[in-house]
Amino acid sequence: LLGTVLGLAIYNGVILDLHFPLFVYKKLCGIKPTLDDLAEINPGVVRGLKQLLEYNGSNLEEDMDLNFQLTLNYLGGTETIDLKPGGSDIMVTKDNRQEYVTLYVKTLLEDLVSTQFNAFQKAFVDVCDGKSLKLFEPEELQLLICGSPVLDFYELEKATSYDNGYDKNSETIKHFWEVVHELSEADKRKLLFFATGSDRSPIGGLGKLAFVITRPGGDTDRLPTSHTCFNHLLLPDYGSKKKARATFKKSNHKFNWFWDVVNFFFGVSNVNPS
């Protein structure tokens, strides 16, 4: 199911707030994971393996006391498996330590997850033609699914469309963008997430996002709302700053972050919603 969801996201140009380690995208592209890929999910283990590879002492067997086995901890218990046949009887030495590290990584990132990953990959490829995947580097595939963390709201402003009485010269719209550009990076991400369901930009930047701001009727007591599936923000055209302030004070605490935007937007300060 998850593979199908990712494939449909690419097909429909939808950004998902779903962040897999890079080695997952490498495996989708047919690239075998490496020791550096393991570091993304278990840096402590990788530090130990690198210390093993860099060991310059005279008696690795005695100092490290390792054999070709891997111990897993899960569900409150442990399980020890051989990295190769007879692994419990094979000591790690200077001569075979590279093989040990290679098998350690292969076992963790390939063998132990092969059943689950193969099902995931099959579902993904059923939606996205497997041949087309060869056109992408793993980093590009990751960007295609998850978007880019680099946000340029000036580009978003240029690309935004307006509906139902708003245009780029509307007073409310001018105030809105002035406020957006003054926000911290964290608050900009919150606003983007509120309006689109993702705090990342598509490939090509926010200028490629089909973002729409609509005037949902005249003066109202309603809060701003959004249709995240369509990147659509419904921004009321409040009749006055006073009216806007009274309306937003009624907001639920889950919109506390948006109140900060309102404080900037309508020139209100040192006031919190109750």
Side-chain angles (χ1 to χ4, degrees), residues 244-273:
R245 177 179 175 179
T247 301
F248 275 87
K249 285 188 67 176
K250 299 176 184 176
S251 65
N252 188 281
H253 286 294
K254 66 181 179 180
F255 293 115
N256 277 349
W257 67 267
F258 200 82
W259 178 249
D260 293 334
V261 177
V262 177
N263 285 340
F264 278 111
F265 197 116
F266 296 101
V268 181
S269 60
N270 300 318
V271 178
N272 289 310

Side-chain angles (χ1 to χ4, degrees), residues 50-258:
K50 287 185 175 180
Q51 288 174 359
L52 171 64
L53 293 174
E54 296 166 357
Y55 176 83
N56 291 320
S58 59
N59 196 343
L60 185 147
E61 294 94 321
E62 184 176 327
D63 291 343
M64 295 292 186
D65 190 25
L66 295 171
N67 55 20
F68 273 69
Q69 287 187 308
L70 169 64
T71 299
L72 302 172
N73 298 297
Y74 62 94
L75 299 177
T78 61
E79 179 183 359
T80 300
I81 59 177
D82 288 346
L83 297 178
K84 61 188 298 186
S88 60
D89 299 321
I90 304 174
M91 296 297 295
V92 177
T93 67
K94 284 188 174 180
D95 292 333
N96 65 16
R97 59 184 172 181
Q98 182 60 63
E99 180 189 11
Y100 170 80
V101 171
T102 299
L103 289 174
Y104 198 104
V105 172
K106 178 178 180 294
T107 299
L108 280 179
L109 301 186
E110 296 185 63
D111 298 345
L112 291 178
V113 296
S114 61
T115 300
Q116 297 87 342
F117 182 81
N118 288 341
F120 166 77
Q121 185 178 40
K122 181 181 183 302
F124 181 80
V125 171
D126 282 346
V127 179
C128 297
D129 182 10
K131 294 180 180 179
S132 66
L133 291 180
K134 296 180 181 180
L135 301 174
F136 294 96
E137 294 294 327
E139 294 82 1
E140 293 172 334
L141 187 58
Q142 185 179 44
L143 282 175
L144 196 61
I145 294 172
C146 299
S148 169
V150 179
L151 303 179
D152 186 340
F153 276 79
Y154 288 101
E155 289 299 316
L156 180 61
E157 180 181 3
K158 293 177 184 177
T160 296
S161 300
Y162 303 97
D163 193 19
N164 203 31
Y166 277 152
D167 60 45
K168 66 179 182 180
N169 295 314
S170 298
E171 199 67 21
T172 298
I173 295 299
K174 288 181 179 179
H175 289 159
F176 174 78
W177 287 114
E178 288 172 4
V179 172
V180 168
H181 298 315
E182 293 173 359
L183 294 177
S184 67
E185 186 70 16
D187 284 337
K188 286 179 180 178
R189 291 187 181 280
K190 291 174 182 177
L191 176 60
L192 187 64
F193 186 85
F194 175 80
T196 70
S198 174
D199 64 354
R200 298 166 73 91
S201 65
I203 290 181
L206 287 180
K208 300 296 183 180
L209 187 67
F211 187 57
V212 180
I213 299 179
T214 291
R215 179 179 179 273
D219 194 9
T220 178
D221 292 332
R222 290 182 300 169
L223 302 176
T225 56
S226 63
H227 301 307
T228 56
C229 291
F230 304 102
N231 304 325
H232 205 148
L233 178 65
L234 281 66
L235 183 68
D237 191 4
Y238 299 113
S240 69
K241 292 181 180 180
K242 182 178 180 180
K243 177 68 175 293
R245 177 179 175 179
T247 301
F248 275 87
K249 285 188 67 176
K250 299 176 184 176
S251 65
N252 188 281
H253 286 294
K254 66 181 179 180
F255 293 115
N256 277 349
W257 67 267
F258 200 82

